[in-house]
Amino acid sequence: MKVIITGFAGFIGFHAAREFLRRGWEVVGIDNFCDYYDVKLKRDRAAMLGGTPGFSARELDICDLGGLKAAFAEESPDVVLNLAAQPGVRYSTTHPFVYQKTNVEGFLNVLECCRHAAKVPKLVFASSSSVYGGNTKMPFEESDQVDTPVSLYAATKKANELMAHTYSHLYKMQTIGLRFFTVYGAWYRPDMALSLFADAMLHGRPIKVFNNGDMRRDFTFVDDIVDGIVRVAESGGLPLYDIYNIGNHRSEKLLDVIKTLADALGVEPKMEMLPMQPGDVYATYASIEKLNKAVGYEPKTTIKEGIPVFAKWYREYHGL
Ligand SMILES: NC(=O)c1ccc[n+]([C@@H]2O[C@H](COP(=O)([O-])OP(=O)(O)OC[C@H]3O[C@@H](n4cnc5c(N)ncnc54)[C@H](O)[C@@H]3O)[C@@H](O)[C@H]2O)c1
């Protein structure tokens, strides 16, 4: 079996590529190595994968329709895992156009390439817990109404779900969207809260704590996310189109997360309490029953187990 992973040099894409390869899949990675965050980290992840039997990579932008079409025609994948995106809620308030470009136009290109492929692949794509917007009903269920996004990032992820539905309906191609809930682990993104906290803590700076620490997040360890992705990719029994939450089913208090990280790093955190940021949501909490029933998904990693893994990698990678 062969999978094309767009965004393979990203945090989740790198871990997913490693797991597919471990399971004997052929993996073709596509990434444009954009400079939203430190490109060296992306290159280092790609270098870790390079040379693994069954792996090949293409430096390509999903907005390049011609290049993408050629890649699909030459590789003829069984599954396409679309992770390439412009992520980040806060960045979407200052850089809206790149979200439209990569997340909407790029995603449309991926849909078109799947549709016109000689052997139409199953498309598994990244959505996000952010589509739940200011939903206050906990835990978040896939049947909840998600028509009121509070960031442009969330709006583009919701758009992906709608576009995929249309393609499944019109062209009978299988598309499965996964709403990821705050993923973390080794090889983490530097723009995410845990990385920013670790950096500040290890340099003796105060960490910025929004909404005075009164926030909750369903933190999901990347190995659990990858396990869910692989189950979906390998399952033969899923519907033509569906959407699943993929989280940890534990909504952690932000201050507990900070304490767990500080303990793992062996430091006493200094905190700067700040108001809520525009576009942010107060809490996320995933119901994971639907994915559990569909493919047996069962996350295993608590933050007490997962955060020390991240902390150890962070210190080693940054030499701190
Ligand atoms: N990490 C999380 O907590 C989280 C939560 C919800 C959803 N997601 C989604 O999961 C996916 C992966 O996220 P991640 O955390 O690994 O992010 P990431 O930024 O580390 O990975 C995305 C990768 O896509 C690549 N990319 C960006 N634009 C591209 C383009 N136009 N063409 C080709 N490649 C492009 C980037 O270079 C990067 O390597 C994204 O779709 C993101 O929106 C992530």
Side-chain angles (χ1 to χ4, degrees):
M1 296 285 275
K2 189 190 269 194
V3 58
I4 284 186
I5 303 181
T6 71
F8 85 95
F11 164 53
I12 299 172
F14 161 70
H15 286 279
R18 275 216 300 207
E19 181 59 15
F20 276 107
L21 289 165
R22 202 187 62 78
R23 298 174 74 82
W25 284 63
E26 260 185 82
V27 174
V28 180
I30 289 178
D31 207 294
N32 71 347
F33 294 88
C34 68
D35 63 0
Y36 165 62
Y37 63 75
D38 184 12
V39 177
K40 182 178 177 297
L41 179 56
K42 297 181 182 182
R43 297 271 176 216
D44 286 347
R45 295 186 190 118
M48 292 278 292
L49 294 166
T52 313
F55 178 75
S56 61
R58 289 170 183 245
E59 190 156 342
L60 183 64
D61 195 309
I62 60 167
C63 298
D64 170 4
L65 181 57
L68 203 60
K69 267 189 184 156
F72 273 59
E74 282 159 32
E75 301 295 353
S76 187
D78 301 283
V79 171
V80 172
L81 174 60
N82 187 65
L83 300 173
Q86 176 56 55
V89 166
R90 289 175 197 150
Y91 193 71
S92 69
T93 58
T94 51
H95 296 77
F97 293 103
V98 63
Y99 289 78
Q100 185 274 332
K101 186 84 187 158
T102 288
N103 299 8
V104 181
E105 185 184 325
F107 187 71
L108 179 60
N109 289 347
V110 172
L111 285 170
E112 275 291 297
C113 288
C114 290
R115 174 194 165 194
H116 290 292
K119 176 181 72 184
V120 178
K122 177 198 279 189
L123 173 63
V124 182
F125 65 96
S127 183
S128 163
S129 61
S130 64
V131 300
Y132 289 101
N135 198 1
T136 50
K137 180 189 143 284
M138 302 281 162
F140 297 168
E141 287 178 286
E142 293 85 345
S143 54
D144 293 350
Q145 197 248 48
V146 288
D147 292 334
T148 50
V150 296
S151 67
L152 186 69
Y153 167 68
T156 62
K157 288 294 174 180
K158 168 74 184 181
N160 290 171
E161 296 182 358
L162 298 173
M163 292 158 78
H165 180 271
T166 310
Y167 270 65
S168 287
H169 173 76
L170 290 176
Y171 310 118
K172 307 292 170 243
M173 51 184 258
Q174 191 174 27
T175 64
I176 304 289
L178 299 175
R179 292 177 179 165
F180 298 155
F181 280 67
T182 319
V183 192
Y184 73 99
W187 296 94
Y188 201 29
R189 267 170 45 196
D191 61 316
M192 299 284 279
L194 280 190
S195 292
L196 299 172
F197 290 166
D199 183 57
M201 283 180 193
L202 290 171
H203 290 96
R205 294 194 314 270
I207 60 174
K208 292 189 168 131
V209 182
F210 295 108
N211 207 31
N212 299 307
D214 184 18
M215 279 205 195
R216 300 182 82 110
R217 284 289 178 280
D218 199 330
F219 273 91
T220 318
F221 192 58
V222 69
D223 291 4
D224 288 323
I225 290 281
V226 167
D227 172 67
I229 291 173
V230 167
R231 283 170 187 268
V232 167
E234 292 185 347
S235 169
L238 297 174
L240 196 60
Y241 168 84
D242 220 339
I243 295 291
Y244 298 93
N245 286 341
I246 173 162
N248 203 31
H249 192 53
R250 294 182 182 92
S251 193
E252 312 283 357
K253 286 186 189 151
L254 184 58
L255 294 178
D256 290 346
V257 171
I258 291 170
K259 180 164 181 349
T260 307
L261 176 61
D263 289 349
L265 292 170
V267 295
E268 198 58 54
K270 295 179 206 153
M271 290 189 249
E272 182 187 353
M273 295 300 183
L274 293 165
M276 191 83 156
Q277 290 281 289
D280 250 355
V281 299
Y282 163 67
T284 65
Y285 180 20
S287 159
I288 51 172
E289 234 178 278
K290 189 173 169 188
L291 193 58
N292 174 269
K293 280 202 184 115
V295 295
Y297 170 71
E298 227 170 298
K300 296 186 176 49
T301 319
T302 63
I303 56 164
K304 294 263 182 274
E305 295 159 333
I307 285 184
V309 174
F310 158 72
K312 183 169 178 291
W313 169 79
Y314 192 89
R315 270 191 184 285
E316 282 172 8
Y317 185 76
H318 295 281
L320 293 164

